[in-house]
């Protein structure tokens, strides 16, 4: 806790895609012992918590999001003992550990599903979603898989279809069944009992499906080149009102353990996203806010987005921001390497809990994966329209040595072309690097309550320049972000005694500024207005 505040309000979360962070046993795939080995780096960077994408036993059809055993570690990543050592080592360094929780679906190799598909009268039959064929044959309705094709898979053993929102090897659990709810609560309790500090719940808005199994309506805005599942509006398969009761039950489970965090993955417009804070804030603590993943990189658009989000939050709801994750193209690939530094300052100076995606602190690029190296099942199922996620999951770039210091074997995905120059070892020694910018901003957040938990207030905006205050008590900071490559000027408030605390150009740190501040192209500034 920070005074009376929960720890996550002032924390910075760092997402680790474990297959790609550090390989300790030279099989080309990252693992738990590799994460433990790199904890000193995370301490030096200045993050407060690590969120680890799925590490549970899995056939790896969707690289861990198809779980065959919710309370065991996959041998690719190590053992339960390795996990216990990681948690102990992280806690000893003041770092919290957040796990991925995948409640919507299991692997078809999970013992629950093996039993469920055994016969129509199996005790676990209703743990999954089974339906008879349509009257004329074929799938029960028109529901589509997120990964392409029908969301219904015919099982000849029992002559029924089961529902899968993703791969046909990822059958959806039936969250209308109280036995499923209790079994998954026990999964949470198992890991919480091991000292886990929280969970990020995968696709949590998918958990409840329409009890009448009505067809989803056609999407009038669908056009060629978009993922095929978008041809329908998921009216009856996502974001149903009953999902909030399920989430409230999960939250009560989390609350059985002190100071634990529940994050929800929810891709919805802001006005629907904020409902996931729950009645009386009894839902997820942080419904992930992905708005920056898709916003047009324009100052007016970003300010409008911030205003809409801040204005939609329920009373007492704490905001959060995300610039990148394992499903979306890298920020440097979206806005360019120079603007990636401005994006970093935006992420780490907005009000709320930021999540950094591993490697973004290096400006790692989005990697173009050749067809023969594609591993992502989404891209394999729906090729040619740019849905592949491999390009943002490539190995962490640690040094200029063999395979960037990630592994001594062939990496499971190819490295980015720039790894020999763009890596931790090289950037750590360059005071002007994006890595050192992240370090300076993270240090400033820890030293400056106005930045970590203070209020947000807009100052000025046009198409090119975004400026806003962060304030708490006597601390007053002005953040100014130039979203162009052209110099800009901004008049400061009358009588301000201003000093630059952090610039994306390190040589300006500590500079005192007059009544008008000049911001060079692709620059961001954190300015102390209370300076004397």
């Amino acid at each position: 806790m920070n005074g009376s505040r929960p720890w996550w309000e002032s924390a910075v979360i760092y997402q680790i895609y474990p297959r790609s962070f550090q390989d300790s046993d030279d099989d080309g795939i990252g693992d738990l012992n590799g994460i433990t080995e790199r904890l000193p780096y995370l301490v030096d960077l200045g993050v407060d918590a690590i969120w680890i994408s799925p590490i549970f036993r899995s056939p790896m059809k969707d690289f861990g999001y198809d779980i065959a055993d919710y309370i065991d570690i996959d041998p690719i990543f190590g053992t339960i003992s390795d996990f216990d050592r990681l948690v102990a080592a992280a806690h000893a360094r003041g770092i919290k550990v957040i796990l991925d929780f995948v409640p919507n679906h299991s692997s078809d190799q999970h013992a629950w599903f093996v039993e469920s598909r055994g016969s129509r009268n199996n005790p676990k039959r209703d743990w999954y979603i089974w339906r008879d064929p349509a009257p004329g044959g074929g799938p029960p309705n028109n529901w589509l898989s997120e990964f392409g094709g029908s969301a219904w898979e015919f099982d000849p053993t029992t002559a029924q279809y089961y529902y899968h929102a993703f791969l046909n090897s990822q059958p959806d659990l039936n969250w209308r069944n109280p036995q499923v709810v209790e079994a998954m609560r026990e999964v949470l309790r198992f890991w919480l009992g091991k000292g886990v500090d929280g969970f990020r719940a995968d696709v949590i808005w998918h958990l409840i499906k329409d009890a009448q199994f009505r067809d989803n309506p056609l999407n009038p805005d669908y056009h060629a080149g978009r993922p095929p599942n978008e041809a329908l509006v998921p009216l009856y398969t996502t974001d149903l009102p009953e999902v909030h009761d399920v989430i409230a039950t999960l939250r009560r489970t989390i609350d059985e353990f002190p100071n634990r965090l529940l994050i929800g993955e929810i891709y919805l417009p802001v006005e629907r996203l904020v409902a996931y804070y729950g009645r009386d804030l009894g839902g997820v603590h942080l419904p992930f806010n992905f708005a920056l993943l898709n916003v047009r990189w324009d100052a007016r658009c970003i300010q409008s987005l911030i205003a809409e989000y801040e204005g939609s939050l329920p009373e007492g709801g704490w905001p959060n921001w995300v610039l990148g994750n394992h499903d979306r193209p890298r920020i440097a690939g979206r806005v360019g390497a120079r603007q990636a530094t401005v994006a970093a300052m935006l992420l780490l100076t907005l009000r709320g809990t930021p999540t950094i995606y591993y490697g973004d602190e290096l400006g790692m690029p989005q990697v173009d994966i050749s067809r023969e190296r594609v591993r992502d099942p989404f891209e394999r199922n729906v090729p040619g329209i740019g849905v592949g996620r491999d390009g943002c999951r490539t190995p962490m770039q640690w040094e200029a040595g063999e395979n960037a210091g990630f592994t001594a074997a062939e990496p499971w995905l190819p490295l980015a072309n720039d790894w020999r120059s763009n890596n931790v070892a090289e950037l750590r020694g360059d005071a002007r690097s994006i890595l050192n910018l992240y370090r300076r901003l993270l240090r400033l957040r820890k030293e400056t309550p106005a930045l970590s938990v203070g209020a947000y207030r807009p100052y000025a905006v046009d198409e090119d320049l975004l400026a806003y205050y962060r304030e708490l008590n006597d601390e007053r900071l002005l953040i100014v972000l130039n979203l162009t490559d052209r110099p800009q000027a901004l008049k400061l408030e009358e009588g301000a005694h201003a000093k630059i605390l952090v610039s994306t150009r390190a040589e300006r740190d500590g500079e005192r500024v007059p009544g008008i501040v000049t911001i060079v192209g692709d620059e961001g500034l954190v300015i102390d207005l209370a300076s004397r």
Side-chain angles (χ1 to χ4, degrees):
M1 305 287 280
N2 177 12
S4 61
R5 291 179 175 273
W7 60 264
W8 54 83
E9 291 193 359
S10 59
V12 175
I13 299 170
Y14 185 93
Q15 182 190 355
I16 292 174
Y17 194 71
R19 295 181 68 90
S20 296
F21 197 61
Q22 180 64 59
D23 175 20
S24 72
D25 59 5
D26 295 334
D27 62 356
I29 298 172
D31 47 49
L32 293 174
N33 288 336
I35 298 172
T36 303
E37 177 185 329
R38 294 297 186 176
L39 286 174
Y41 167 76
L42 298 171
V43 172
D44 180 71
L45 182 61
V47 299
D48 303 285
I50 54 173
W51 151 36
I52 307 172
S53 293
I55 51 175
F56 312 109
R57 188 174 290 274
S58 168
M60 297 293 164
K61 299 289 181 62
D62 191 21
F63 298 111
Y65 285 92
D66 51 322
I67 294 174
D69 189 337
Y70 283 95
I71 56 172
D72 196 12
I73 302 294
D74 194 274
I76 285 176
F77 299 122
T79 66
I80 287 280
S81 295
D82 294 332
F83 176 78
D84 291 339
R85 282 193 294 273
L86 169 58
V87 172
H91 286 172
R93 290 167 170 81
I95 293 178
K96 308 284 189 184
V97 177
I98 300 166
L99 288 186
D100 230 305
F101 176 52
V102 187
N104 181 70
H105 48 265
S106 74
S107 165
D108 62 356
Q109 296 182 32
H110 196 293
W112 298 343
F113 188 72
V114 172
E115 288 187 49
S116 183
R117 79 189 312 176
S119 70
R120 291 195 180 199
N121 60 6
N122 187 279
K124 284 195 169 54
R125 185 67 170 185
D126 194 44
W127 283 44
Y128 294 84
I129 300 171
W130 293 93
R131 300 290 288 172
D132 286 328
N141 61 25
N142 73 345
W143 294 355
L144 296 175
S145 163
E146 296 275 326
F147 285 175
S150 172
W152 294 99
E153 181 75 8
F154 186 69
D155 182 61
T157 302
T158 57
Q160 281 190 318
Y161 285 84
Y162 65 85
Y163 177 74
H164 58 92
F166 297 91
L167 297 175
N168 61 6
S169 57
Q170 293 171 297
D172 279 41
L173 286 152
N174 177 15
W175 277 85
R176 294 183 183 273
N177 184 333
Q179 292 178 307
V180 169
V181 175
E182 191 53 40
M184 295 303 264
R185 293 181 76 189
E186 285 301 309
V187 169
L188 293 176
R189 291 181 181 116
F190 175 84
W191 294 107
L192 291 165
K194 285 190 161 290
V196 167
D197 298 287
F199 296 91
R200 172 268 194 187
D202 185 59
V203 297
I204 202 167
W205 82 110
H206 275 261
L207 291 185
I208 295 291
K209 290 79 177 175
D210 182 46
Q212 299 177 51
F213 294 91
R214 288 169 283 190
D215 278 355
N216 277 325
L218 295 175
N219 179 3
D221 298 323
Y222 179 73
H223 58 84
R226 297 298 303 161
N229 67 293
E230 294 182 9
L232 301 179
V233 177
L235 180 65
Y236 296 116
T237 46
T238 65
D239 195 30
L240 272 68
E242 303 99 307
V243 76
H244 297 289
D245 295 329
V246 171
I247 294 170
T249 300
L250 297 177
R251 169 64 180 275
R252 287 194 296 272
T253 311
I254 295 291
D255 287 347
E256 293 171 9
F257 296 75
N259 304 329
R260 310 301 171 93
L261 170 65
L262 182 60
I263 304 170
E265 182 199 29
I266 305 151
Y267 282 94
L268 288 174
V270 164
E271 70 274 9
R272 291 160 66 191
L273 171 74
V274 295
Y276 285 77
Y277 284 99
R279 188 182 299 111
D280 299 322
L281 300 182
V284 297
H285 296 98
L286 300 177
F288 258 153
N289 169 21
F290 296 127
L292 288 176
L293 296 179
N294 299 312
V295 69
R296 196 173 88 191
W297 205 246
D298 166 277
R300 288 193 188 278
C301 287
I302 294 173
Q303 190 204 47
S304 175
L305 181 159
I306 297 167
E308 180 188 11
Y309 180 56
E310 285 275 357
S312 299
L313 290 168
E315 186 176 355
W318 186 249
N320 72 94
W321 296 92
V322 177
L323 265 184
N325 64 25
H326 61 291
D327 287 331
R328 296 300 173 98
R330 292 251 180 208
I331 182 63
R334 302 199 308 270
V335 303
R338 295 173 69 88
Q339 278 291 309
T341 60
V342 178
M345 185 169 283
L346 176 69
L347 175 70
L348 295 176
T349 60
L350 284 172
R351 188 176 82 98
T353 303
T355 297
I356 300 169
Y357 184 49
Y358 86 96
D360 278 355
E361 74 274 21
L362 310 181
M364 278 178 57
Q366 179 73 8
V367 178
D368 186 17
I369 305 295
S370 62
R371 180 169 296 184
E372 64 273 12
R373 293 297 303 271
V374 168
R375 305 292 299 274
D376 181 13
F378 194 7
E379 175 68 15
R380 289 181 171 184
N381 285 2
V382 190
I385 63 171
V387 297
R389 300 168 296 174
D390 292 330
C392 66
R393 299 175 174 183
T394 57
M396 182 69 171
Q397 298 166 195
W398 295 105
E399 60 185 53
E402 182 184 15
N403 295 322
F406 165 69
T407 182
E410 176 74 12
W412 78 286
L413 279 175
L415 292 157
N417 290 333
D418 67 353
W419 63 270
R420 288 181 179 83
S421 58
N422 186 26
N423 59 66
V424 171
E426 290 290 327
L427 298 184
R428 187 69 174 80
D430 178 0
R432 300 182 61 179
S433 71
I434 187 171
L435 173 59
N436 280 314
L437 172 65
Y438 269 88
R439 293 177 67 246
R440 283 156 38 228
L441 286 168
L442 288 166
R443 186 167 60 247
L444 185 64
R445 282 181 64 93
K446 282 186 166 58
E447 296 170 350
T448 315
L451 201 54
S452 58
V453 296
Y456 163 89
R457 184 161 59 92
Y459 178 66
V461 67
D462 59 23
E463 288 81 0
D464 302 328
L465 203 63
L466 176 64
Y468 49 90
Y469 294 107
R470 297 298 312 281
E471 302 169 319
L472 185 69
N473 301 326
D474 294 334
E475 291 182 348
R476 298 183 65 242
L477 305 180
L478 177 65
I479 289 83
V480 187
L481 306 174
N482 186 349
L483 275 67
T484 77
D485 60 1
R486 304 180 302 278
Q488 308 286 336
L490 181 70
K491 184 177 181 180
L492 302 182
E493 61 188 44
E494 199 69 36
H497 297 270
K499 182 175 75 171
I500 296 172
L501 297 179
V502 175
S503 167
T504 55
R505 296 174 177 246
E507 64 271 18
R508 295 193 70 181
D509 287 12
E511 177 184 321
R512 294 200 174 267
V513 292
I516 295 177
V517 61
T518 299
I519 313 97
V520 301
D522 305 306
E523 184 179 27
L525 302 173
V526 180
I527 300 172
D528 181 5
L529 294 178
S531 176
R532 293 291 185 270

